[in-house]
Amino acid sequence: MKKIKFCILAMLALPLTGCFSNQQLLSESDQYVGKWILEGGISIPGITKRQPSLIIEEDLDVAGFTGCNLFKGKLNIDDSAVNFTLPIMTHKMCLPEIVEQEQNIMNVLRHATNIEVVNETLVVDSGDRFLVFEKANKHI
């Protein structure tokens, strides 16, 4: 009888273990969710009306603005790394300065080796270059 109770408890506990690990992953990803405005790293202040930005949704879909073009992709989070997959981008004609800024931003995002949030700041590091995003609406 004790073996049957133990087996039943074990069978009930297994599905719950998966739920708790998924819940932990979701809470870790929550720190990335929101709208982020580029504040440092690679940008040329004053050449666009709108600052480059990044929006990370709860499902980890990513959308952003480089100063001229828009991009879409996904934030990937697993045990060993956090990185972006950015397959979609518009191709508008831009000023040469903005094209250079845009290429630099996208290179950092595509080749990110470390992405972390520290005190409402999202830092994307590609080894030799980095981007610093501030959380939009953090003072509301």
Side-chain angles (χ1 to χ4, degrees):
M1 188 68 164
K2 286 184 180 182
K3 287 183 181 180
I4 294 173
K5 285 182 183 178
F6 178 75
C7 288
I8 292 172
L9 287 173
M11 288 173 40
L12 291 172
L14 277 174
L16 293 176
T17 304
C19 291
F20 289 126
S21 63
N22 288 343
Q23 191 173 20
Q24 183 180 4
L25 180 61
L26 288 175
S27 63
E28 288 176 18
S29 66
D30 285 347
Q31 66 182 331
Y32 299 102
V33 173
K35 181 172 183 179
W36 302 90
I37 306 296
L38 184 65
E39 295 294 333
I42 300 166
S43 69
I44 304 168
I47 63 170
T48 62
K49 292 181 182 180
R50 202 171 85 194
Q51 276 292 99
S53 60
L54 183 67
I55 298 171
I56 302 173
E57 302 289 341
E58 289 180 13
D59 62 358
L60 301 181
D61 281 346
V62 174
F65 174 69
T66 60
C68 181
N69 284 290
L70 302 171
F71 62 90
K72 285 188 170 225
K74 193 85 172 163
L75 178 65
N76 307 304
I77 301 174
D78 63 34
D79 293 337
S80 61
V82 177
N83 57 42
F84 293 103
T85 304
L86 302 168
I88 301 171
M89 186 167 183
T90 60
H91 294 285
K92 295 179 186 175
M93 293 290 290
C94 310
L95 293 172
E97 299 86 2
I98 299 175
V99 170
E100 181 181 348
Q101 169 183 290
E102 179 173 85
Q103 289 171 344
N104 289 333
I105 289 171
M106 293 307 293
N107 283 335
V108 172
L109 293 174
R110 286 186 175 126
H111 300 103
T113 56
N114 188 35
I115 302 169
E116 63 184 326
V117 176
V118 179
N119 297 330
E120 301 289 318
T121 301
L122 176 73
V123 180
V124 181
D125 185 359
S126 69
D128 61 339
R129 294 185 178 190
F130 65 92
L131 300 172
V132 178
F133 293 89
E134 294 291 326
K135 187 94 172 220
N137 305 326
K138 67 180 183 179
H139 301 293
I140 294 177

